Amino acid sequence: IQLTQSPSSLSASVGDRVTITCRASQGISSYLAWYQQKPGKAPKVLIYGASTLQSGVPLRFSGSGSGTDFTLTITSLQPEDFATYFCQHLNGYPYTFGQGTKLEIK
Amino acid sequence: QVQLVQSGAEVKKPGASVKVSCKASGYTFSNKYIHWVRQAPGQGLEWMGIINPSVGASTYAQTFQGRVTLTSDTSTSTVYMELSSLKSEDTAVYFCATYNWKSYFEYWGQGSLVTVSS
């Protein structure tokens, strides 16, 4: 199963709302997770089951979708949100990742 | 608290093998499957394989079949990833991560940089 993320990079300002999409090459039900990664650090889970917010993750993060099309939305961007975001499917091995979306400050 | 502590950076020559360790603490070792993921410099995340630490059963990504071996030592709560026949393209940071049954990678090690260079 291939995951295609878009855009690959994105410039935005503090306070903006941004949406990142992830499309699967075949249906994966809701077996999709979103991760945030900062330079030199391990990824951190934000969303699992396509739309369930991980404990401790701010409410400005949300996920939606099922089947083949998924979105990660961040409302009211904060300075600490500028990072790279990856989607990952967990609907059978191999658990592939999207290629990533680098979110940069405009 | 759950922690995964990985071994340090390694420099290897092409053709050699490397063995990276991932020591778990803060939970019952046999209760969580562990996955390995790698990230080449400036690149995305690549899933390598999974091990059930309690029985040592593993599944590998096709890309690494025949070159990667995952093992576990329940006496020390440590999982190992060995990659053989190293190439320059294997230069990457290698991560271990625990699997949560709600389908996501929950806890991650800090990463181990493996550099393959002649």
Side-chain angles (χ1 to χ4, degrees), chain B residues 6-32:
Chain B
Q6 298 184 223
S7 49
E10 303 254 19
V11 179
K12 295 291 182 181
K13 294 195 182 302
S17 296
V18 67
K19 194 169 187 177
V20 178
S21 66
C22 171
K23 183 173 175 59
S25 61
Y27 70 97
T28 302
F29 180 63
S30 58
N31 285 358
K32 292 184 184 290

Side-chain angles (χ1 to χ4, degrees), chain A residues 9-85:
Chain A
S9 64
L10 179 56
S11 292
S13 302
V14 172
D16 283 354
R17 170 191 173 108
V18 298
T19 298
I20 299 168
T21 66
C22 180
R23 174 164 288 174
S25 58
Q26 63 189 72
I28 57 171
S29 184
S30 295
Y31 293 101
L32 189 100
W34 289 96
Y35 300 86
Q36 177 192 68
Q37 187 180 33
K38 295 185 177 179
K41 300 293 187 183
K44 167 191 164 185
V45 66
L46 302 172
I47 302 282
Y48 62 90
S51 61
T52 301
L53 192 67
Q54 170 70 331
S55 175
V57 174
L59 293 174
R60 61 182 180 273
F61 292 90
S62 64
S64 65
S66 68
T68 59
D69 294 307
F70 303 86
T71 60
L72 171 70
T73 299
I74 314 170
T75 57
S76 189
L77 275 172
Q78 297 301 298
E80 60 268 28
D81 299 337
F82 293 93
T84 301
Y85 294 84

Side-chain angles (χ1 to χ4, degrees), chain B residues 20-116:
Chain B
V20 178
S21 66
C22 171
K23 183 173 175 59
S25 61
Y27 70 97
T28 302
F29 180 63
S30 58
N31 285 358
K32 292 184 184 290
Y33 288 11
I34 289 184
H35 292 256
W36 286 84
V37 174
R38 77 175 184 180
Q39 187 170 38
Q43 302 301 308
L45 300 166
E46 183 176 23
W47 183 82
M48 298 181 69
I50 173 182
I51 185 167
N52 175 342
S54 62
V55 298
S58 55
T59 299
Y60 306 119
Q62 188 95 9
T63 311
F64 301 99
Q65 282 285 355
R67 285 210 302 142
V68 68
T69 305
L70 302 182
T71 55
S72 63
D73 181 344
T74 55
S75 69
T76 60
S77 299
T78 302
V79 170
Y80 298 91
M81 186 283 300
E82 183 168 22
L83 188 62
S84 62
S85 303
L86 290 168
K87 305 169 251 190
S88 57
E89 308 90 271
D90 294 318
T91 294
V93 175
Y94 290 77
F95 294 100
C96 57
T98 62
Y99 178 71
N100 184 293
W101 293 107
K102 292 180 181 177
S103 294
Y104 62 96
F105 290 5
E106 186 170 16
Y107 299 101
W108 294 69
Q110 82 276 19
S112 298
L113 174 62
V114 175
T115 302
V116 183

